[in-house]
Amino acid sequence: AVPVWPGGPVEFDRVVPPSGNMFVTSRQFWMGAHRAGMVARVWADVDLIHVLIGGTRIKTVRSHLSVSDLAKLVAQGAVPAGPSPLPPLEEGDAVEVERCVSSFGHGSLAGHQLLAAEILGGRRVGIRIEPATLMFYDLDTRELLRTRANPLTHEQTKGLRGVRPAGPP
C-alpha cells in the first residue's frame, strides 16, 4: 500500500548514533555524542528542518528538501506533521526571509516589487523584516546592504514563503 500524503510538512524519528552525527536525507546534523541513543523527532518541509528531542527544539536549519524528497520520506514511514515547532509570530516580531534580487534590483515580497538596489541584481540576499523597516543583508556575513521602508502588514508578513524568526540584527 502506498501511503497517502496530502502535501505539507512531515515528521519522522531518528536515533542519534554513537558518533553524535545524525544524517537526514544526505544532510549531517551534529547532535553531540552526549545525545547518542536518544530519539530525535525531525519536522521537515521545503523551507525549514527542525530537530527535537523530548519535545524540545534542538536545531533549526534551512531545508534542502524538495516536495519529491518529502514524498520519499513519507514512503519510508514519515507522517504528516503538526504545526511548526517555532513559536507563533507575534505582531512586532522581527522575521527574516531569503530572496533573489532581480537584474533590475527588485525583490518580491507578498506581491510587492521592492527596490533593493541595482547593484544587488542577481544576488541572493536575506531580508530582515521589522514593523517599519526592511533590511537587505548578505547571507554569509550578515553585512547590511540596504535599508528600505516596510510596506507589508503583519498578516502579509506572516504569510511569506520561508519566513523564520530573525537572527541577530
Side-chain angles (χ1 to χ4, degrees):
V2 177
V4 176
W5 176 56
V10 299
E11 291 181 319
F12 53 94
D13 292 330
R14 289 283 195 276
V15 176
V16 179
S19 67
N21 284 323
M22 186 175 72
F23 285 87
V24 175
T25 61
S26 303
R27 178 172 260 176
Q28 177 182 344
F29 290 83
W30 171 246
M31 303 303 293
H34 66 285
R35 291 195 176 105
M38 293 182 176
V39 176
R41 184 73 168 175
V42 180
W43 185 103
D45 70 5
V46 295
D47 294 317
L48 294 171
I49 298 174
H50 306 285
V51 180
L52 301 95
I53 294 180
T56 301
R57 187 169 46 91
I58 306 298
K59 291 192 182 271
T60 296
V61 299
R62 286 188 287 251
S63 180
H64 64 289
L65 302 173
S66 67
V67 173
S68 297
D69 295 326
L70 295 175
K72 287 177 191 173
L73 287 168
V74 169
Q76 296 168 0
V79 297
S84 169
L86 290 176
L89 180 61
E90 301 294 329
E91 192 157 354
D93 288 349
V95 295
E96 294 178 357
V97 295
E98 294 177 21
R99 295 292 188 270
C100 285
V101 178
S102 75
S103 59
F104 299 108
H106 291 89
S108 178
L109 290 176
H112 294 269
Q113 288 296 317
L114 307 167
L115 177 63
E118 263 187 69
I119 196 167
L120 300 177
R123 195 167 162 185
R124 189 157 183 85
V125 298
I127 306 171
R128 181 183 175 95
I129 304 167
E130 295 184 350
T133 311
L134 300 176
M135 292 174 242
F136 295 82
Y137 65 91
D138 181 270
L139 288 168
D140 294 325
T141 64
R142 295 193 65 87
E143 174 188 7
L144 182 62
L145 304 169
R146 291 289 185 271
T147 303
R148 300 284 185 244
N150 182 2
L152 306 177
T153 66
H154 175 67
E155 290 304 313
Q156 289 173 317
T157 300
K158 281 179 24 178
L160 290 173
R161 175 184 47 84
V163 71
R164 63 181 181 269

